[in-house]
Every structure is written in C-alpha cells, then in structure tokens.
Amino acid sequence: MARRYQLLFVCTGNSARSIMAEALANTLGKDRFHAYSAGSHPHGDVHPLALQALRDADVPTDGLRCKSWDEFAAPDAPDMDLVITVCDKAAGETCPAWPGHPVTAHWSVEDPVAVSGTPEQMHRAFVHARQQLQHRISLLLALKPEALDRLALEQQVNRIGHTA
C-alpha cells in the first residue's frame, strides 16, 4: 500500500475554506491523504454554509470542527508532509514551526464568509470556494510526491495554487 501523506490546510478562522479543504482531501484522497485543518485565530464554529456546500457535493461533514494551529505545532502532533495556507491573511502571518519540517505552499481562495448579499449569493460563494478547492485537490492527487524532490514538490504545489 502506498504511503498516506499528512496534509494541513491553514486559514485564519478555520471555519470555511480550510475546513472544506480538509473534508475534500480526506474524501477525494482517502487512500493517499490524511488531511487536517487549523486556524491562527479559530472562530469556534464551522460556518453552516461551508457544511452545506460540502453536503451539496456528498462530502461527509461528521467530526469537522474549528481547531487552533497550536494543536499541530505541539511536540506530540503528527508530522505533516505538506502545509497549505488557503487565505492570504494566514499566508502573511508567522506560522509555528511545524513538526517534521513540511513542504509549505499557498493557495489563495476568496473568503466566502466575507460575501454579503442574498442567501443565494452567499451560498454560491461557498460553492465556488468548494469547487476551487476540489479542483486544486484533484490536481494535487495527480502529483506523485514520492517521485519529486522537496523543491520540485513545493514548486508544483504552489503552481496548483495559481489555477482557477
């Protein structure tokens, strides 16, 4: 059996984008990835529209919760292979020293929580973020990390972050 890679998706609030990325990576890459998510300043509750956008795509939402990135910087935390920030604010923050010295990358995804308007417009913003993350995670699944050195892997994962 192939090695399962440990992924951490990071955002500031850990209530929408990083949560959706965690759920999508665990569903789409269940044999290749064990994904987690965390925030520098977690909100406390997963945004209901993030959960709805996942359910709309038949992605399980059980057990999803907001977590602090401190959980994943602790000495007993799992060693991550890859840490991906999904919001620009978190990408600009000083991140903890992650155990295992993982490859890091940034995938800018617009914050659906920041969208205001009708309920339909807000729902569409979450669906759009989910679709963008799903596309990028599919591209990540197409990579063969074991065939790439650290620098090549980092370049490829960052390149994925520039896809629509």
Side-chain angles (χ1 to χ4, degrees):
M1 185 165 111
R3 178 177 180 274
R4 281 181 82 200
Y5 289 84
Q6 305 274 10
L7 307 180
L8 177 62
F9 293 96
V10 177
C11 204
T12 305
N14 189 227
S15 68
R17 292 167 287 182
S18 53
I19 289 280
M20 288 192 288
E22 172 188 359
L24 287 162
N26 282 328
T27 299
L28 299 172
K30 63 181 172 271
D31 297 328
R32 296 206 35 224
F33 298 145
H34 188 171
Y36 306 87
S37 67
S40 56
H41 299 91
H43 286 275
D45 292 315
V46 177
H47 198 288
L49 288 175
L51 295 172
Q52 185 60 51
L54 289 168
R55 285 191 294 265
D56 289 349
D58 294 321
V59 175
T61 60
D62 293 345
L64 293 175
R65 65 181 178 86
C66 294
K67 301 164 286 298
S68 171
W69 67 10
D70 293 339
E71 254 183 68
F72 299 94
D76 61 343
D79 285 351
M80 294 298 154
D81 296 297
L82 183 59
V83 175
I84 300 172
T85 53
V86 291
C87 75
D88 297 334
K89 189 172 180 183
E93 294 178 325
T94 302
C95 293
W98 306 112
H101 307 288
V103 168
T104 58
H106 177 60
W107 293 355
S108 182
V109 177
E110 284 188 47
D111 186 1
V113 175
V115 172
S116 58
T118 66
E120 293 79 20
Q121 290 169 320
M122 293 168 63
H123 182 258
R124 270 197 309 270
F126 280 85
V127 169
H128 176 72
R130 186 207 68 223
Q131 290 170 334
Q132 189 174 35
L133 288 163
Q134 186 169 345
H135 174 70
R136 290 176 181 179
I137 289 166
S138 295
L139 293 173
L140 182 61
L141 277 164
L143 290 179
K144 303 287 183 233
E146 61 279 358
L148 300 171
D149 65 29
R150 182 181 172 82
L151 180 59
L153 179 59
E154 191 166 324
Q155 290 171 337
Q156 291 294 325
V157 177
N158 271 304
R159 191 169 293 129
I160 289 170
H162 295 288
T163 63

